[in-house]
Amino acid sequence: MRVCDSFAHGFCSKFCYGTGMCGIVGYAGARPALNIVLDGLRRLEYRGYDSAGVAIVLSGDTDDGDAAGRRRPGELLTAKRAGKLANLEKALAEEGAHGLRVGATGIGHTRWATHGGPTDRNAHPHRSFDGRVAVIHNGIIENFAKLRAELEHDGIEFASDTDTECAAHLLARALQDAAGATPGEKLAEAMRIVSRRLEGAFTLLAVDVEAPGVVVGARRNSPLVVGRGEGENYLASDVSAFIEHTREAVELGQDQVVLISPTDIVITDFHGNPVEGKPFHITWDASAAEKSGYEYFMLKEIAEQPHAVAETLLGRLNETGDLMLDEVRLTDQDLRDVDKVFIVACGTAYHAGMVAKYAIEHWTRIPCEVELASEFRYRDPVLDRSTLVVAISQSGETMDTLMALRHAKEQKARVLAICNTNGSTIPRESDAVLYTHAGPEIAVASTKAFLTQLVACYLVGLHLAQVRGVKYADEVAAIIAQLQEMPEKIEQVLSMMAPIRELARDLAEAKSVLFIGRHVSYPVALEGALKLKELAYMHAEGFAAGELKHGPIALIDEGTPVICVVPSPRGRGVLHDKVVSNIQEVRARGARTIVIAEEGDVAVKPYADHLFYVPITPTLLAPLVTTVPLQVLACEIASARGHDVDQPRNLAKSVTVE
Ligand code: M6R
């Protein structure tokens, strides 16, 4: 067997860089692995785009090699480049590697670096000192410094600054005397030996030039799912990497090692004990992960919101009018015993939680707190058996949320997950789950996931109220009926977006944009500001409208755009009137006011430089319509400023480090 490393850029430095949130894909089958791995990476690129790389074990067929016949069977080809996947593809094309007809085993990686600048040499895969294995990794190996010192002491030279490279060298050493009947089994055994030595979070995939046809993976605290195909199998960070090939998947648990070959999927724990993976069927459509004619995934996902909301509501009431969650490992008595609710989440999901607080307290009369997941466990919250912790996460892998959930479980609290991703860690570790049926969300900026998280939160609030006897079934049914009208209302909002697009061009050069709202419109203001920050890289801040006068109003200058999300004048009219006063206050100080209000609200007209109406909606449900113009505005401003809307700088979709 020969080894080659056509794009190695190995220079050692004193620093080690981890790899935070990455996309990982592995393939074992009879088809050309390179193309399949690259396609998978394209679908996973939203998880990180600092660098990309592949490793392919060329199969033993005699005509194996590229179109020009420059490569031979049994070689291990690795290629990697800093920057987006396109850079790697260009490099591969220049090498003629795109013409590779076979090569039946492959792994690929797209990286979001956690520390230090992303470079070619730190890109994955990493090769072992003997060139025999190639490894890709998602996570951070916390004891890498000790491991690296040990390896260097033994004379192993490092070719990168990464923690991952330790795993590659350790694997090659473990392989030297790993037990196993076949080369693949030896690789799996070596992976178990190495995994037991690693601390921190990791998903590792490895290929061994001596074991063509086999990919081995290990998982601790980082995502990894198996795709089961016909005569071929897959490993990936999430199912979108392989849904065009198979809809049958297998969940992996913590501290497990998996071996895939074209015909087999063998799972064990880190000690070699066999484990049954939990199979599941992927309901997402392959086309759901395509742009389908839209310029950006984000625009497509905004447009999909009416459907996503309808899907999340579908089939929730049983024949007796009781609300149904998806997976409940809690009894009704457990829910009746709840005396406090904590919602934990990050970013956009946290804003959904803020809206949920209003609904849950109003409908259930149980105190409800919302916490940033990253802060939750560090302040030692008071939790016990009668606390319900609701963890909201689109990806189901956000490390801050996962750690908050685990802390809650250690304190014996009950945990309910609201999640969009089947097979992910957060729902698996929760006592109950309500899935949002948004389909795959590819754009880094969350849109349809947010609206469906809101719907799921409303359902959780209503379920709690019903189980506890605070609301009768007919009262719940009446609110569900209002929710069922929402897809049409969101559709109406989407049909009225032309003036928002026009305004976006106008605001593209603004230095700063402020957002204000009260009650459920306050989290909407925060969400509008977050969207603008992450997509347009502009200074944007959301405020509770009543807080402005306590300091932030000093930010207002001649022409400062202030986006005002106005509550309905019906029902809680007092809120509406207060916000109208706040609009007058900012306008009196020179602000240019952009007002989002309910149809027929004439009271705001005199104070609005720009006025956008949304359909009449019950107060608690209003965020389902008022958020939409803010999503479109941020998307259009980012586009006008020439930014990559789907992959904003410095960000990744799934944040699997703390
Ligand atoms: O996957 P999660 O819902 O747990 O992700 C939480 C946040 O990282 C996420 O909502 C982030 O804030 C979005 N990029 C915002 O658009």
Side-chain angles (χ1 to χ4, degrees):
M1 296 278 176
R2 294 195 303 136
V3 289
C4 65
D5 189 351
S6 56
F7 301 108
H9 296 263
F11 307 98
C12 201
S13 89
K14 291 287 163 227
F15 304 101
C16 186
Y17 300 137
T19 167
M21 294 83 74
C22 307
I24 278 188
V25 60
Y27 172 76
R31 293 190 285 157
L34 180 61
N35 292 345
I36 289 175
V37 167
L38 287 173
D39 279 351
L41 289 183
R42 219 163 284 126
R43 290 168 182 273
L44 292 181
E45 201 181 13
Y46 70 96
R47 299 179 72 95
Y49 28 87
D50 285 337
S51 66
V54 290
I56 305 292
V57 181
L58 302 186
S59 70
D61 298 7
T62 44
D63 68 343
D64 204 354
D66 66 3
R70 282 177 294 186
R71 293 197 176 82
R72 292 283 177 277
E75 286 183 351
L76 172 59
L77 164 75
T78 55
K80 53 193 192 170
R81 278 290 184 273
K84 294 197 173 179
L85 184 61
N87 292 358
L88 172 71
E89 293 190 290
K90 189 162 164 262
L92 285 167
E94 280 163 13
E95 280 284 307
H98 256 329
L100 274 177
R101 290 189 299 277
V102 286
T105 319
I107 55 177
H109 187 267
T110 174
R111 175 175 188 237
W112 188 90
T114 41
H115 314 99
T119 58
D120 284 355
R121 69 177 174 177
N122 290 333
H124 298 209
H126 294 284
R127 300 277 289 262
S128 56
F129 59 89
D130 56 1
R132 177 174 168 178
V133 297
V135 171
I136 55 176
H137 167 219
N138 174 17
I140 296 177
I141 299 170
E142 285 166 3
N143 57 336
F144 77 88
K146 197 168 139 242
L147 296 170
R148 180 169 175 145
E150 174 192 313
L151 290 159
E152 283 180 332
H153 178 265
D154 293 348
I156 291 175
E157 283 184 25
F158 276 67
S160 79
D161 311 325
T162 65
D163 50 352
T164 308
E165 198 184 334
C166 288
H169 298 315
L170 288 171
L171 203 54
R173 287 219 304 206
L175 265 171
Q176 288 166 359
D177 32 43
T182 63
E185 283 176 22
K186 285 184 183 160
L187 182 62
E189 175 58 10
M191 184 64 97
R192 285 188 281 270
I193 294 169
V194 173
S195 297
R196 292 198 295 266
R197 291 206 62 195
L198 304 182
E199 290 166 18
F202 53 87
T203 298
L204 292 166
L205 293 194
V207 286
D208 174 6
V209 73
E210 303 285 342
V214 167
V215 180
V216 165
R219 169 173 196 269
R220 168 181 286 167
N221 282 337
S222 270
L224 184 63
V225 283
V226 186
R228 188 193 290 277
E230 292 283 326
E232 56 187 18
N233 290 307
Y234 303 81
L235 291 170
S237 306
D238 71 53
V239 299
S240 54
F242 53 72
I243 39 173
E244 67 175 314
H245 306 297
T246 177
R247 304 274 202 83
E248 301 311 317
V250 181
E251 261 182 49
L252 287 180
Q254 284 299 18
D255 286 9
Q256 292 182 357
V257 164
V258 57
L259 176 156
I260 61 162
S261 69
T263 49
D264 295 316
I265 299 167
V266 183
I267 307 171
T268 69
D269 65 16
F270 280 178
H271 298 279
N273 301 308
V275 174
E276 252 335 282
K278 186 176 160 206
F280 65 99
H281 179 73
I282 304 159
T283 50
W284 291 352
D285 199 307
S287 67
E290 303 290 345
K291 276 193 203 157
S292 314
Y294 285 87
E295 193 176 357
Y296 310 114
F297 275 110
M298 184 178 176
L299 282 176
K300 177 178 176 241
E301 287 160 8
I302 289 173
E304 284 171 347
Q305 292 184 114
H307 180 68
V309 164
E311 284 289 305
T312 304
L313 283 166
L314 204 67
R316 291 295 177 190
L317 291 180
N318 68 12
E319 59 291 348
T320 55
D322 291 326
L323 266 171
M324 311 279 289
L325 303 185
D326 290 304
E327 291 172 21
V328 193
R329 296 172 279 268
L330 291 175
T331 63
D332 282 359
Q333 190 55 47
D334 291 332
L335 293 178
R336 279 193 280 275
D337 289 342
V338 168
D339 61 11
K340 174 131 194 172
V341 178
F342 277 106
I343 301 178
V344 290
C346 305
T348 290
Y350 172 72
H351 297 151
M354 286 179 75
V355 174
K357 174 182 162 70
Y358 292 92
I360 290 176
E361 288 195 337
H362 184 69
W363 288 332
T364 68
R365 309 312 297 153
I366 311 172
C368 175
E369 299 297 331
V370 195
E371 295 243 2
L372 288 169
S374 53
E375 290 293 317
F376 185 66
R377 66 182 172 137
Y378 299 107
R379 70 167 186 81
D380 196 14
V382 181
L383 307 167
D384 58 30
R385 284 192 168 281
S386 37
T387 313
L388 179 69
V389 172
V390 179
I392 310 176
S393 175
Q394 186 284 130
S395 61
E397 300 292 349
T398 299
M399 188 57 82
D400 290 317
T401 311
L402 179 61
M403 288 303 165
L405 175 164
R406 287 187 180 159
H407 181 77
K409 288 197 86 175
E410 276 162 23
Q411 311 295 309
K412 310 279 181 257
R414 318 288 184 170
V415 178
L416 185 153
I418 291 176
C419 185
N420 194 42
T421 314
N422 207 320
S424 60
T425 310
I426 288 173
R428 202 181 40 248
E429 295 196 14
S430 298
D431 301 308
V433 188
L434 201 155
Y435 284 106
T436 51
H437 295 288
E441 193 180 63
I442 307 291
V444 165
S446 191
T447 54
K448 61 178 179 171
F450 177 66
L451 260 55
T452 56
Q453 283 163 353
L454 292 177
V455 170
C457 288
Y458 296 135
L459 293 174
V460 167
L462 292 172
H463 184 67
L464 272 177
Q466 192 172 48
V467 168
R468 297 164 65 86
V470 189
K471 281 211 180 297
Y472 294 117
D474 57 344
E475 293 176 290
V476 170
I479 301 172
I480 296 279
Q482 291 171 339
L483 276 166
Q484 277 159 346
E485 288 173 11
M486 295 312 296
E488 202 184 319
K489 293 186 181 192
I490 300 165
E491 200 74 74
Q492 277 176 43
V493 178
L494 288 170
S495 69
M496 302 185 303
M497 285 299 96
I500 289 278
R501 289 196 187 96
E502 204 174 303
L503 176 69
R505 284 190 286 277
D506 213 16
L507 292 185
E509 298 310 319
K511 280 212 296 286
S512 171
V513 181
L514 306 185
F515 294 72
I516 60 170
R518 273 178 194 256
H519 193 254
V520 289
S521 302
Y522 168 42
V524 171
L526 294 178
E527 176 60 9
L530 174 61
K531 285 284 142 318
L532 201 54
K533 279 183 257 205
E534 73 178 322
L535 294 172
Y537 321 150
M538 283 163 82
H539 174 246
E541 270 193 85
F543 298 104
E547 267 301 292
L548 273 191
K549 57 188 177 295
H550 298 290
I553 201 161
L555 289 168
I556 305 224
D557 209 348
E558 199 54 42
T560 304
V562 179
I563 300 186
C564 315
V565 189
V566 184
S568 166
R570 301 162 306 109
R572 291 175 159 262
V574 61
L575 274 176
H576 169 270
D577 297 351
K578 294 266 190 273
V579 175
V580 175
S581 301
N582 299 137
I583 299 174
Q584 292 176 59
E585 286 157 17
V586 294
R587 207 157 182 266
R589 286 157 181 86
R592 175 180 177 189
T593 54
I594 296 142
V595 175
I596 314 252
E598 191 175 277
E599 251 162 34
D601 181 352
V602 287
V604 292
K605 266 193 173 163
Y607 317 112
D609 294 310
H610 306 266
L611 178 57
F612 301 98
Y613 280 132
V614 291
I616 294 172
T617 305
T619 300
L620 284 169
L621 310 189
L624 287 168
V625 286
T626 50
T627 309
V628 177
L630 307 187
Q631 297 168 339
V632 174
L633 186 72
C635 181
E636 296 291 338
I637 293 180
S639 174
R641 286 166 74 99
H643 296 171
D644 185 335
V645 169
D646 288 333
Q647 297 181 344
R649 69 183 182 198
N650 305 338
L651 293 173
K653 182 75 179 162
S654 182
V655 185
T656 52
V657 290
E658 272 194 276

CSV table of all heavy atoms in Angstrom, one decimal, residues 90-116:
chain,number,residue,atom,x,y,z
A,90,LYS,N,-11.8,23.7,-6.3
A,90,LYS,CA,-10.9,24.3,-7.3
A,90,LYS,C,-9.6,23.5,-7.3
A,90,LYS,O,-9.1,23.1,-8.3
A,90,LYS,CB,-10.7,25.8,-7.0
A,90,LYS,CG,-10.0,26.5,-8.1
A,90,LYS,CD,-10.3,28.0,-7.9
A,90,LYS,CE,-9.3,28.8,-8.7
A,90,LYS,NZ,-8.1,29.3,-7.9
A,91,ALA,N,-9.1,23.3,-6.0
A,91,ALA,CA,-7.8,22.6,-5.9
A,91,ALA,C,-7.9,21.2,-6.4
A,91,ALA,O,-7.0,20.7,-7.1
A,91,ALA,CB,-7.4,22.6,-4.4
A,92,LEU,N,-9.0,20.6,-6.1
A,92,LEU,CA,-9.2,19.2,-6.6
A,92,LEU,C,-9.3,19.2,-8.2
A,92,LEU,O,-8.7,18.3,-8.8
A,92,LEU,CB,-10.5,18.6,-6.0
A,92,LEU,CG,-10.4,18.2,-4.6
A,92,LEU,CD1,-11.7,17.9,-4.0
A,92,LEU,CD2,-9.5,16.9,-4.4
A,93,ALA,N,-10.0,20.1,-8.7
A,93,ALA,CA,-10.1,20.2,-10.2
A,93,ALA,C,-8.7,20.4,-10.8
A,93,ALA,O,-8.4,19.8,-11.8
A,93,ALA,CB,-11.1,21.3,-10.5
A,94,GLU,N,-7.9,21.3,-10.2
A,94,GLU,CA,-6.6,21.6,-10.7
A,94,GLU,C,-5.7,20.3,-10.7
A,94,GLU,O,-4.9,20.1,-11.6
A,94,GLU,CB,-5.9,22.7,-9.9
A,94,GLU,CG,-6.4,24.1,-10.4
A,94,GLU,CD,-6.1,25.2,-9.4
A,94,GLU,OE1,-5.3,24.9,-8.4
A,94,GLU,OE2,-6.7,26.2,-9.5
A,95,GLU,N,-5.9,19.5,-9.7
A,95,GLU,CA,-5.2,18.2,-9.6
A,95,GLU,C,-5.7,17.1,-10.5
A,95,GLU,O,-5.2,16.0,-10.5
A,95,GLU,CB,-5.3,17.7,-8.1
A,95,GLU,CG,-4.3,18.5,-7.2
A,95,GLU,CD,-2.9,18.0,-7.4
A,95,GLU,OE1,-2.6,16.8,-7.3
A,95,GLU,OE2,-2.0,18.8,-7.6
A,96,GLY,N,-6.9,17.4,-11.1
A,96,GLY,CA,-7.5,16.4,-11.9
A,96,GLY,C,-8.2,15.3,-11.1
A,96,GLY,O,-8.7,14.3,-11.6
A,97,ALA,N,-8.3,15.6,-9.8
A,97,ALA,CA,-8.9,14.6,-8.9
A,97,ALA,C,-10.4,14.5,-9.1
A,97,ALA,O,-11.1,13.5,-8.8
A,97,ALA,CB,-8.6,14.9,-7.4
A,98,HIS,N,-11.1,15.6,-9.7
A,98,HIS,CA,-12.5,15.5,-9.9
A,98,HIS,C,-12.9,14.4,-10.8
A,98,HIS,O,-14.0,14.0,-10.9
A,98,HIS,CB,-13.0,16.9,-10.4
A,98,HIS,CG,-13.7,17.7,-9.3
A,98,HIS,ND1,-14.4,17.1,-8.3
A,98,HIS,CD2,-13.8,19.0,-9.1
A,98,HIS,CE1,-14.9,18.0,-7.5
A,98,HIS,NE2,-14.6,19.2,-8.0
A,99,GLY,N,-11.9,14.0,-11.6
A,99,GLY,CA,-12.2,12.9,-12.6
A,99,GLY,C,-12.1,11.5,-11.9
A,99,GLY,O,-12.3,10.5,-12.6
A,100,LEU,N,-11.8,11.4,-10.7
A,100,LEU,CA,-11.7,10.1,-10.0
A,100,LEU,C,-13.0,9.3,-10.2
A,100,LEU,O,-14.1,9.7,-9.9
A,100,LEU,CB,-11.5,10.3,-8.5
A,100,LEU,CG,-10.1,10.5,-8.0
A,100,LEU,CD1,-10.2,10.7,-6.5
A,100,LEU,CD2,-9.2,9.3,-8.3
A,101,ARG,N,-12.8,8.1,-10.8
A,101,ARG,CA,-14.0,7.3,-11.2
A,101,ARG,C,-14.4,6.5,-10.0
A,101,ARG,O,-15.5,6.1,-9.8
A,101,ARG,CB,-13.7,6.5,-12.4
A,101,ARG,CG,-13.6,7.3,-13.7
A,101,ARG,CD,-13.6,6.4,-14.9
A,101,ARG,NE,-12.5,5.5,-14.9
A,101,ARG,CZ,-11.3,5.9,-15.3
A,101,ARG,NH1,-11.0,7.1,-15.7
A,101,ARG,NH2,-10.3,5.0,-15.3
A,102,VAL,N,-13.4,6.0,-9.3
A,102,VAL,CA,-13.7,5.1,-8.1
A,102,VAL,C,-13.0,5.7,-6.9
A,102,VAL,O,-12.5,6.8,-6.9
A,102,VAL,CB,-13.4,3.7,-8.4
A,102,VAL,CG1,-14.4,3.1,-9.3
A,102,VAL,CG2,-12.0,3.5,-8.9
A,103,GLY,N,-13.0,4.8,-5.9
A,103,GLY,CA,-12.5,5.3,-4.6
A,103,GLY,C,-13.7,5.2,-3.7
A,103,GLY,O,-14.6,6.0,-3.6
A,104,ALA,N,-13.8,4.0,-3.1
A,104,ALA,CA,-15.1,3.6,-2.5
A,104,ALA,C,-15.3,4.0,-1.1
A,104,ALA,O,-16.3,3.7,-0.5
A,104,ALA,CB,-15.3,2.1,-2.7
A,105,THR,N,-14.3,4.6,-0.5
A,105,THR,CA,-14.4,5.0,0.9
A,105,THR,C,-13.9,6.4,1.1
A,105,THR,O,-12.8,6.8,0.5
A,105,THR,CB,-13.5,4.1,1.8
A,105,THR,OG1,-13.6,2.8,1.3
A,105,THR,CG2,-13.9,4.2,3.2
A,106,GLY,N,-14.7,7.2,1.8
A,106,GLY,CA,-14.2,8.6,1.9
A,106,GLY,C,-14.8,9.3,3.1
A,106,GLY,O,-15.8,8.9,3.7
A,107,ILE,N,-14.0,10.3,3.6
A,107,ILE,CA,-14.5,11.2,4.7
A,107,ILE,C,-14.3,12.6,4.2
A,107,ILE,O,-13.4,12.9,3.5
A,107,ILE,CB,-13.8,10.9,6.0
A,107,ILE,CG1,-12.3,11.0,5.9
A,107,ILE,CG2,-14.2,9.5,6.6
A,107,ILE,CD1,-11.5,10.8,7.2
A,108,GLY,N,-15.1,13.5,4.7
A,108,GLY,CA,-15.0,14.9,4.4
A,108,GLY,C,-15.4,15.8,5.5
A,108,GLY,O,-16.2,15.4,6.4
A,109,HIS,N,-14.8,17.0,5.5
A,109,HIS,CA,-15.0,17.9,6.7
A,109,HIS,C,-15.1,19.3,6.3
A,109,HIS,O,-14.4,19.8,5.4
A,109,HIS,CB,-13.7,17.7,7.5
A,109,HIS,CG,-13.7,18.4,8.9
A,109,HIS,ND1,-13.2,19.7,9.0
A,109,HIS,CD2,-14.1,18.0,10.1
A,109,HIS,CE1,-13.3,20.0,10.3
A,109,HIS,NE2,-13.9,19.0,11.0
A,110,THR,N,-16.0,20.1,6.9
A,110,THR,CA,-16.1,21.5,6.7
A,110,THR,C,-16.0,22.1,8.1
A,110,THR,O,-16.7,21.7,9.0
A,110,THR,CB,-17.3,21.9,5.8
A,110,THR,OG1,-17.3,23.3,5.8
A,110,THR,CG2,-18.6,21.3,6.3
A,111,ARG,N,-15.1,23.1,8.3
A,111,ARG,CA,-14.7,23.5,9.6
A,111,ARG,C,-15.2,24.9,10.0
A,111,ARG,O,-15.2,25.8,9.2
A,111,ARG,CB,-13.2,23.4,9.6
A,111,ARG,CG,-12.5,23.9,10.9
A,111,ARG,CD,-11.0,23.7,10.9
A,111,ARG,NE,-10.4,23.9,12.2
A,111,ARG,CZ,-9.5,24.8,12.4
A,111,ARG,NH1,-9.0,25.5,11.4
A,111,ARG,NH2,-9.0,25.0,13.6
A,112,TRP,N,-15.5,25.0,11.3
A,112,TRP,CA,-15.7,26.3,11.9
A,112,TRP,C,-14.6,26.3,13.0
A,112,TRP,O,-14.8,25.6,14.0
A,112,TRP,CB,-17.1,26.5,12.5
A,112,TRP,CG,-17.4,27.8,13.0
A,112,TRP,CD1,-17.9,28.9,12.3
A,112,TRP,CD2,-17.2,28.3,14.3
A,112,TRP,NE1,-18.1,30.0,13.1
A,112,TRP,CE2,-17.7,29.7,14.4
A,112,TRP,CE3,-16.7,27.8,15.5
A,112,TRP,CZ2,-17.6,30.4,15.5
A,112,TRP,CZ3,-16.7,28.5,16.7
A,112,TRP,CH2,-17.2,29.9,16.7
A,113,ALA,N,-13.6,27.1,12.9
A,113,ALA,CA,-12.5,27.1,13.8
A,113,ALA,C,-12.9,27.7,15.1
A,113,ALA,O,-13.5,28.8,15.1
A,113,ALA,CB,-11.3,27.8,13.2
A,114,THR,N,-12.4,27.1,16.2
A,114,THR,CA,-12.7,27.7,17.5
A,114,THR,C,-11.7,28.7,18.0
A,114,THR,O,-11.9,29.7,18.6
A,114,THR,CB,-12.9,26.7,18.6
A,114,THR,OG1,-11.9,25.7,18.4
A,114,THR,CG2,-14.3,26.1,18.6
A,115,HIS,N,-10.4,28.4,17.7
A,115,HIS,CA,-9.3,29.3,18.1
A,115,HIS,C,-8.4,29.5,16.9
A,115,HIS,O,-8.1,28.6,16.2
A,115,HIS,CB,-8.5,28.7,19.2
A,115,HIS,CG,-9.3,28.1,20.3
A,115,HIS,ND1,-9.5,26.8,20.4
A,115,HIS,CD2,-9.9,28.7,21.4
A,115,HIS,CE1,-10.3,26.5,21.5
A,115,HIS,NE2,-10.5,27.6,22.1
A,116,GLY,N,-7.9,30.8,16.8
A,116,GLY,CA,-6.9,31.0,15.8
A,116,GLY,C,-7.4,31.1,14.4
A,116,GLY,O,-8.5,30.7,14.1
